[in-house]
Amino acid sequence: MGMKSVPLTLAAAVAAATAATARAEEIRIETARTAIVLDAKQGKEVGWLYWGAKADEPAQKRWRGPLLSCFGGWAEWDPALRVTHADGSLTTELAFAGCERQTLDANRTRTTLILKDPLYPLTVRVAFTAYAKEDVITQQVTLTHQEPGDITVHAMASTAPTLPEGDWWLTSFQNRFLDNWPNEMHVYEERLSPGTKRLANYRSTRSAYFENPAVLISQGPAQEEAGEVYGIAVAWTGNWEIDLAMDTGRAVRAKAGMAALAADYKLPPDTPYVSPEAILTHSSAGKGQISRNLHDYARNYVLVDGDKPNPILLNSWEGVYFTFDEAKIKEMIKDAAEMGLELFVLDDGWFGNGEYARDAANAGLGDWQVNAKKLPCGLQGLADYAKSLGIRFGLWVELEMVNPKSALAKAHPEWVVKSGKREILQGRSQWLLDLTNPAVQDFVVETFDRILREAPGISYIKWDANRTVANVGSGYLPKDRQANFWYDYARGLYSVYARIRERHPHLQMQVCASGGGRVDYGALAYHNEFWTSDNTSAIRRIYIQWGTSHFYPAKAMAAHFSRSGVGNPLKEPFPASFRLHVALSGRFGFELQPSHLTEQERKTAEAGIRAAKDYIRDIVQFGDLYRLHSPYLRDGYAALSYVAKDKSQALVFAYSLDTAYDKGPLRLRLAGLDPAKTYAIEEVLTPDGRKPLAVSGQKRAGADLMREGLTLPIAKLYDNCILRLRAL
Ligand code: GLA
């Protein structure tokens, strides 16, 4: 239910809605290349018949499993829907009662199945939205009832497709901590066996920090450009679960949606209870196609201004942390402008006064007034200064949080998430505000608005959330509705985001939660981009960005050139060009104090900024990604490429990661080119001290580059190259 769903609903209202027959037997939901086929007989349970490529669809389809299994009947499945009715009954049955079809526009159709319990006034609507060109189908479940009192919803999944028997493998994306640093979206692959494998987040606010709400399910280990792969993501900035249940016949049911843990929801009559959207996509040509489908979907339908380039920025965090004053920030802004950057973002540390000054993480959150001692010219003063130098100004906020050491915590202790008299645990010295409470929602929206009113020169916001829920409880929710917290918090957060977006539709916003903690399709619908990880080490980023790219586009994936050397056995920052190239392969930016750059680093950085503006940004942010050589092969290399949509240009990024004893040059077959075109190859931004590679200057046919490939002698530790290909 992102930003872009708003105009969509309007479009739906005017579109010619073809009211479909309630007697349908087979309901088809189709994209250009894929289809979901459901078995829908009046008065009967609806079932999955097929999900996959239209080209492979069998003539005789079998019932694979229920669309939405309920607790009741033979209760063979861990139910996708479990409810206690107002009269105390534990069982539910859902029978097909009708189907509505809407044409939203030339690319999108919506198919809504209406399911009713024959014994209770309870209706479930399962809405599928098909995005034809992107081969993406979203699924969302809405429950309403008119029982004579509250019902309790214990569990309600967004989707639960059943895939036929096969050698199913799971790819999941989880944070792997190394050297005490996070590494979000580390790729884990395993063969499923009978039983249930669960991925989940029970920490609410950081929905994607430890595990990302996204999985690939493939026949055999997922390959890049071959083989059958399914992708499922849950668009939810809260507690979620994805269960892969394999039976002894090796059929798999993938149930995905909100988590059921301690979330028994008391639902009054006539109140819709709405699941997150599940995002489904299928490829019969490998996981690379899954990624390209989702990247298009994200750019076309999810991200705010997904069709506009994101700026090349400098963020102050790793450069100065909390320790700065006006002179220092102005110097950074000046350096950023001189380097050719487009935007300066002032991170944490700018607010709180007196004893609550934000000079460290232990004070100030909640007191969103500029620190007059550090920044006497105020935020607008900084924005004006940036503008006078031709660049934009952005700001960090973390409005869901409060430090016990703050005026806000003293004024509104009732706004803090807490469980009665139990200790309110601190995470990063902070407490969480209770967004289930409309007064807190108003406070956050109004504070946000006031900051922008006072400093209208701010054109970019980084929205952070640095702690999770502990000792859950709400002073706002009634005693018998404490378990409503998880759902109401996430809905409260979305309502805040939506209100902010209504007032500031084109403000650029980055979502962050201690790094990639909110890289989920729910939060992304209100943002232009995300902070991928607090780990800015180039070598770690190669893996983090590799994993992230499976579900999320480079356009939104902030990748900053920093001075971090984490993971470098040489215990120093990586070579400048290595750091530069890794950052250029995402949404390029900087995270450092420019005055700390050596002359050589600065030269390298400035050349990168020029190239980014000139041609790299366009191809990376709007092209098609092809992952060419996985770092997980552990042969000392990684490589990926972006190909412009019209295939007239491409960029190849290749990195040398370590020195295996048997390491030869990198042999790299390209992908996604036009086989009939001839491409001129040029090495750009050649690392200092190395001659351009021999391939630079060659002209080769696309077919040849994809079949024979290139030999790249970049075996030396941390050598790397960017090749620019232009069709002649
Ligand atoms: C989190 C973010 C960082 C930075 C700090 C500021 O850790 O992920 O990028 O903004 O907070 O406190």
Side-chain angles (χ1 to χ4, degrees), residues 315 317 322 347-348 358 396 398 428 462 464 466 512-515 531 533-534 591:
N315 178 294
W317 181 242
F322 293 109
D347 208 280
D348 201 351
R358 181 75 170 170
W396 176 97
E398 193 183 4
R428 208 193 187 210
K462 172 178 176 183
D464 208 342
N466 282 310
C512 171
S514 315
W531 182 224
S533 176
D534 272 0
E591 186 92 13

Side-chain angles (χ1 to χ4, degrees), residues 518-536:
R518 276 187 181 168
V519 181
D520 70 71
Y521 271 102
L524 287 187
Y526 302 94
H527 295 84
N528 303 64
E529 59 175 38
F530 55 84
W531 182 224
T532 314
S533 176
D534 272 0
N535 194 339
T536 60

Side-chain angles (χ1 to χ4, degrees), residues 333-398:
I333 294 176
K334 187 155 177 279
D335 279 329
E338 282 170 6
M339 286 169 71
L341 296 170
E342 298 164 330
L343 168 73
F344 172 81
V345 181
L346 178 58
D347 208 280
D348 201 351
W350 60 267
F351 51 92
N353 282 285
E355 58 174 318
Y356 302 139
R358 181 75 170 170
D359 294 328
N362 69 342
L365 286 175
D367 299 354
W368 299 101
Q369 288 81 28
V370 72
N371 182 308
K373 209 165 110 202
K374 277 185 183 170
L375 301 171
C377 73
L379 297 172
Q380 186 56 32
L382 292 177
D384 286 340
Y385 181 70
K387 193 171 175 199
S388 75
L389 299 176
I391 70 170
R392 295 165 44 201
F393 180 72
L395 191 71
W396 176 97
V397 296
E398 193 183 4

